[in-house]
Amino acid sequence: MDAPTTRPGPGRSRAAALTVIGLLAILAPISGSQAPAPFIDLTPDGVAAAASKYIAEYQKAFSFLIADEMYRQEVEREDLPTERRQLEGEIYMMYLPADDEWITVRDVARVDGRPVADREDLRRLLLSNTDRGLVDRIANRNAAFNIGTVIRNFNEPTLPLLVLSEKKRATSRYKRTGLQKEGDVMLVTVSFEEQRRPTLVSSATGGAVFAKGSFVIEAGTGRVRETHFELEDGRVKARLTTTYAFEERLDLWVPSVFRERYERRHRGSGLEVVTGEATYTNYKRFQGTGRIK
């Protein structure tokens, strides 16, 4: 099968408008006795390094968050009716120390309005987060209610953050493609391309699938505002986009909307397009040890 389907298991990764030469840029003028503005590294690697540090703190600050998820998927095929599915439930965002992986855990309560029968005790499963290999089990569980022929277990809003993690950052090439001022904040768009194995996502046969995409990142703080993640494997193309929003009660930037699109060209039967949109609300801290600012 030529579809990108899996996150590699234990021991593997899951798997400019302005021209600025040099490493440092000043974001604000100095006037009178005003203190100098902090020096911010606006180079692609500098911004990615700041984001990497931010994500490391993200992982350390809490075990996981919990939020309500409303997730709609559609499948369109030539000469066939549109297939639809709606999932309702909760998501957990947590770090699995045994696998050294960050993962979003989907706990589906209702499918097309009907309660899920024989629903697994997910909280009990998550208490076993010291078990190596749990990341694979959770990833496959997340995919249980996907529709369409594009098999995937990587459709999570936080997956692209792993590209910026300390252990994965050196395997990608970064390029700054945009700068935008938002109030006192400088937002930097940084594109990336995976260059070396192991890749974040693998094909059905275990082969490497090299991702590309971009991040919108706050200069200096490294906060991630938006992620774009693209894959192509044979006749399958995938694009995942996550928009983050500030959650005041938690003092965190959290996934707000997750959109996905998959295209698969079938031999003799035309194009299949799978789309999905998930929204996340009612965030709360299930178990926490700190805060990220």
Side-chain angles (χ1 to χ4, degrees), residues 98-128:
D99 290 299
D100 191 21
E101 293 285 356
W102 179 259
I103 191 170
T104 300
V105 185
R106 182 167 284 118
D107 186 18
V108 178
R110 302 175 71 86
V111 178
D112 296 329
R114 297 183 179 89
V116 173
D118 301 321
R119 187 176 172 193
E120 184 179 10
D121 186 349
L122 182 58
R123 299 195 181 198
R124 178 178 297 178
L125 173 64
L126 297 182
L127 289 176
S128 65

Side-chain angles (χ1 to χ4, degrees), residues 67-125:
D68 295 335
E69 180 184 58
M70 180 71 72
Y71 188 15
R72 298 178 180 89
Q73 296 184 8
E74 290 190 356
V75 181
E76 295 182 353
R77 304 180 182 92
E78 295 181 12
D79 302 323
L80 289 175
T82 299
E83 182 181 357
R84 295 181 173 87
R85 173 162 288 175
Q86 178 169 299
L87 308 178
E88 301 171 60
E90 297 175 325
I91 60 165
Y92 300 80
M93 281 172 245
M94 64 179 298
Y95 180 68
L96 302 175
D99 290 299
D100 191 21
E101 293 285 356
W102 179 259
I103 191 170
T104 300
V105 185
R106 182 167 284 118
D107 186 18
V108 178
R110 302 175 71 86
V111 178
D112 296 329
R114 297 183 179 89
V116 173
D118 301 321
R119 187 176 172 193
E120 184 179 10
D121 186 349
L122 182 58
R123 299 195 181 198
R124 178 178 297 178
L125 173 64

Side-chain angles (χ1 to χ4, degrees), residues 9 26 44 55 63-64 81 162 164 172 187 220 238 242 259-260 265 268 274 285 289:
I26 300 176
I55 290 167
S63 296
F64 48 79
L162 292 177
L164 294 167
S172 295
L187 298 178
T242 305
R259 296 182 176 91
E260 56 186 332
R265 182 70 62 179
V274 183
R285 198 182 299 279
T289 60

Side-chain angles (χ1 to χ4, degrees), residues 145-186:
F145 298 103
N146 288 340
I147 57 176
T149 67
V150 179
I151 303 171
R152 69 264 183 204
N153 68 1
F154 55 87
N155 51 321
E156 318 163 16
T158 56
L159 175 71
L161 295 181
L162 292 177
V163 174
L164 294 167
S165 66
E166 188 61 35
K167 73 176 184 178
K168 288 293 295 178
R169 184 162 55 90
T171 66
S172 295
R173 181 177 62 191
Y174 300 93
K175 180 180 179 180
R176 195 186 68 226
T177 57
L179 281 174
Q180 180 181 352
K181 197 78 177 290
E182 186 180 278
D184 294 331
V185 177
M186 183 68 79

